[in-house]
Amino acid sequence: MEEAYMNLNHHGLGPKGTKAIAIALVSNTTVTHLELEDNWIMAEGTMSLVQMLRENCYIQELNISNNHLDTEGAKIITGLLLENLSSVWSLQLSGNNFREESAQYFSEALMVNYRTKELDLSHNEFSEKGGEFLGHMLAYNEGLTVLNLSWNHLRKKGATAVSTGLRLSFNPLTVEGAMALITSLKKNPKSRMEELNISVGHPPKSISEPSGGSDFRTWDCFHRVTFQGKKGPI
C-alpha cells in the first residue's frame, strides 16, 4: 500500500474483508483516495471503516457506493460526520438504499459538519420528507460545495435540497419546487452555493424565459441558477 490511490472496487470483500482492509489502513500514511464500491460492505463493514477513519488522518477521498449500507450504515457514517474529526472531504455514497430516516441522520450531521466538501447521495430513495430534511440542513451547512441527489424521488417539497453543482436530474420538479430551490439559496449567507443544475428536467416557464435552446437562467444579486433540459409543460 505505497500508492496514494487504492482501488478495490468490485472485489466482493464483504464485512470481514473490509475489516481486514481497515485494520491495515489504520497506520497507513500513503493512501489518500480509497475506492471500495460494490463490495457488500453493509453496516458491519461500515463500522470497521469508521473506526479506522477516526485514527487515519490521511485518507481524503472515499467511495463506498453500492454497498447495501441501508439505514443502519447511514447512522454509522453520519456519526463520523458529526464528530468533524475525519480528513475525508469527498464522500461517495450512491446506491446504498438510503430512505427518509437516513436523510434525517445526514441532515443532523451536516448541519454541524464543515469538513465534507463533496457528497454523492445519488441513486437512493429520498423523497419529499428526505428532501425537506436535506433542504433544512443546507440553511446551516457551511462546508458543502457539491451535493449530488440525482436519481432520487424528490418532488415539490424535496426540491429544497440545493448546493454548488447540485444535480437533481430525474427528479420531478414543479414551479413551486423550483421557487423553493431559489428561496433556499438565500437563507444561508455563509453557504457556498453558486449554481443549480437540474438536468433532464422541465424548466418552469414562470421563473424565466428561454435564453436559447434548452438553457434557462434567472439571476438575483448573489447567485446564478441554471435549468437545463427539455422545454415542456410542468
Side-chain angles (χ1 to χ4, degrees):
M1 294 186 287
E2 297 180 355
E3 299 292 332
Y5 179 79
M6 175 178 284
N7 188 341
L8 293 174
N9 293 340
H10 320 296
H11 274 61
L13 296 174
K16 291 183 179 180
T18 303
K19 182 176 182 179
I21 295 298
I23 291 173
L25 287 171
V26 167
S27 58
N28 182 277
T29 60
T30 305
V31 177
T32 60
H33 185 152
L34 180 59
E35 290 278 336
L36 292 173
E37 182 173 352
D38 184 28
N39 275 293
W40 282 84
I41 288 174
M42 300 189 288
E44 181 182 347
T46 305
M47 179 62 76
S48 298
L49 289 175
V50 164
Q51 290 172 344
M52 176 270 292
L53 290 170
R54 288 191 174 110
E55 302 295 329
N56 183 307
C57 60
Y58 293 91
I59 295 176
Q60 300 175 29
E61 299 175 75
L62 176 64
N63 179 9
I64 49 175
S65 297
N66 300 304
N67 271 299
H68 304 272
L69 303 190
D70 302 312
T71 300
E72 188 59 31
K75 185 176 181 180
I76 293 169
I77 200 74
T78 54
L80 178 69
L81 298 179
L82 270 169
E83 296 170 1
N84 265 316
L85 296 177
S86 171
S87 298
V88 175
W89 59 264
S90 176
L91 183 58
Q92 293 176 257
L93 295 167
S94 176
N96 274 305
N97 305 316
F98 295 149
R99 300 180 184 274
E100 304 292 61
E101 185 178 357
S102 301
Q104 184 172 6
Y105 289 135
F106 280 104
S107 176
E108 292 171 354
L110 292 167
M111 278 195 288
V112 298
N113 179 279
Y114 54 84
R115 292 182 179 270
T116 305
K117 307 302 180 186
E118 299 181 4
L119 178 62
D120 183 355
L121 291 172
S122 63
H123 291 268
N124 281 293
E125 303 295 327
F126 300 137
S127 56
E128 288 200 7
K129 195 64 178 177
E132 288 181 27
F133 282 130
L134 295 170
H136 179 67
M137 170 273 294
L138 287 170
Y140 297 91
N141 179 273
E142 299 178 16
L144 280 175
T145 58
V146 176
L147 176 61
N148 187 346
L149 290 172
S150 62
W151 289 94
N152 277 278
H153 305 291
L154 304 178
R155 293 179 182 273
K156 176 180 174 181
K157 295 180 181 178
T160 53
V162 129
S163 186
T164 302
L166 172 65
R167 301 188 188 104
L168 273 170
S169 54
F170 294 95
N171 289 297
L173 185 66
T174 63
V175 171
E176 292 85 357
M179 290 304 298
L181 286 167
I182 294 172
T183 300
S184 69
L185 283 167
K186 303 176 181 179
K187 287 184 178 179
N188 183 1
K190 295 183 180 180
S191 131
R192 300 183 182 183
M193 304 174 198
E194 294 173 357
E195 183 171 333
L196 166 62
N197 184 342
I198 310 177
S199 55
V200 199
H202 295 299
K205 296 178 183 177
S206 61
I207 293 180
S208 63
E209 293 297 323
S211 58
S214 60
D215 190 8
F216 292 68
R217 290 189 177 88
T218 183
W219 293 74
D220 63 19
C221 59
F222 299 108
H223 306 282
R224 184 182 74 189
V225 181
T226 304
F227 297 89
Q228 293 178 322
K230 290 184 177 180
K231 180 180 179 182
I234 301 301

